[in-house]
Amino acid sequence: MIGIIDYGAGNLFSVKNALDYLGFNNFITSSPDEMREADKLILPGVGAFPDAMKMLRDAGLDGVIREEASKKPLLGICLGMQMLFEYGYEFEKTEGLSLIPGEVSLIYAPGLKIPHMGWSDVKTENSCVLSEGIEDGARLYYVHSYKADTDRKYISLYSEYGQLIPGLVFKDNVFGTQFHPEKSGEIGLRILKNFGGLK
């Protein structure tokens, strides 16, 4: 059973619809007890890093997420991925969940439009269980102005948009996608299927 975390800043129903399509039992929850009962967790996110972290803290969910991430697979999507890192610099320096080493900063892409929005090719840096079956050149859908700065050993897939953009990151049980797998067609669904199949 996959728990989709509702803290007020997530694109919940497109994620739920994708999981329903793939046949995975799932539910939307803001309950710490239900999050503990889930086999896996997904942390979606849209909006600004400081606002989303405040919502998580105010709901008392930040500590639960850290606790559960040590026991079961966790997938952060878009802003949810960014919050997995130690700090974000959107408007102000804000502490993240510190589940993956690194920080989140504004994309530096002179001559290119920000936000980075649309379909981009991905390349493999390191294989991981979520990127199995994904070939270099596969196209995935992004909408973001900030990107992760992290050691390349934590990057599975990346795109290039003026600079290296980590697309899929991982550490232990924790995974994050900067692109939206639920909006990325068959390739995105394969990533969600790989996550749903984790034990």
Side-chain angles (χ1 to χ4, degrees):
M1 182 70 77
I2 302 173
I4 304 168
I5 301 169
D6 179 7
Y7 59 100
N11 191 10
L12 305 174
F13 292 100
S14 60
V15 175
K16 180 169 178 37
N17 288 340
L19 295 176
D20 289 344
Y21 176 81
L22 291 168
F24 291 116
N25 291 327
N26 68 89
F27 61 99
I28 294 171
T29 183
S30 56
S31 162
D33 287 341
E34 290 181 350
M35 288 168 58
R36 293 184 179 102
E37 292 172 2
D39 300 313
K40 307 172 189 71
L41 293 170
I42 294 180
L43 178 65
V46 293
F49 191 111
D51 296 339
M53 281 304 305
K54 183 177 187 303
M55 290 178 186
L56 276 184
R57 290 193 300 268
D58 288 350
L61 298 180
D62 54 330
V64 180
I65 292 170
R66 291 187 184 100
E67 172 190 325
E68 293 304 301
S70 67
K71 306 172 185 176
K72 65 187 63 166
L74 167 69
L75 171 63
I77 296 176
C78 197
L79 178 59
M81 175 198 120
Q82 295 177 3
M83 292 191 293
L84 301 176
F85 290 93
E86 295 167 291
Y87 293 99
Y89 289 88
E90 188 169 0
F91 306 127
E92 60 188 25
K93 184 177 181 179
T94 304
E95 185 176 352
L97 293 167
S98 296
L99 294 172
I100 301 177
E103 301 179 336
V104 175
S105 63
L106 186 66
I107 296 171
Y108 181 71
L112 298 175
K113 291 183 178 179
I114 303 298
H116 169 214
M117 182 166 60
W119 296 84
S120 290
D121 295 352
V122 294
K123 298 179 182 178
T124 302
E125 180 70 20
N126 300 286
S127 61
C128 78
V129 289
L130 263 61
S131 61
E132 287 179 4
I134 309 299
E135 297 181 356
D136 286 3
R139 294 174 64 78
L140 293 150
Y141 187 78
Y142 290 84
V143 183
H144 65 120
S145 299
Y146 288 77
K147 53 91 179 88
D149 299 312
T150 187
D151 192 295
R152 293 182 81 121
K153 69 183 179 181
Y154 301 119
I155 299 172
S156 179
L157 300 176
Y158 69 93
S159 296
E160 294 175 349
Y161 193 75
Q163 63 183 126
L164 185 147
I165 304 291
L168 171 58
V169 296
F170 68 106
K171 182 178 184 289
D172 302 325
N173 289 327
V174 179
F175 305 88
T177 61
Q178 182 63 71
F179 52 78
H180 284 271
E182 78 282 7
K183 297 180 180 179
S184 294
E186 291 300 318
I187 301 298
L189 289 175
R190 177 170 295 193
I191 290 169
L192 289 176
K193 185 176 182 180
N194 289 344
F195 177 75
L198 294 176
K199 301 298 183 184

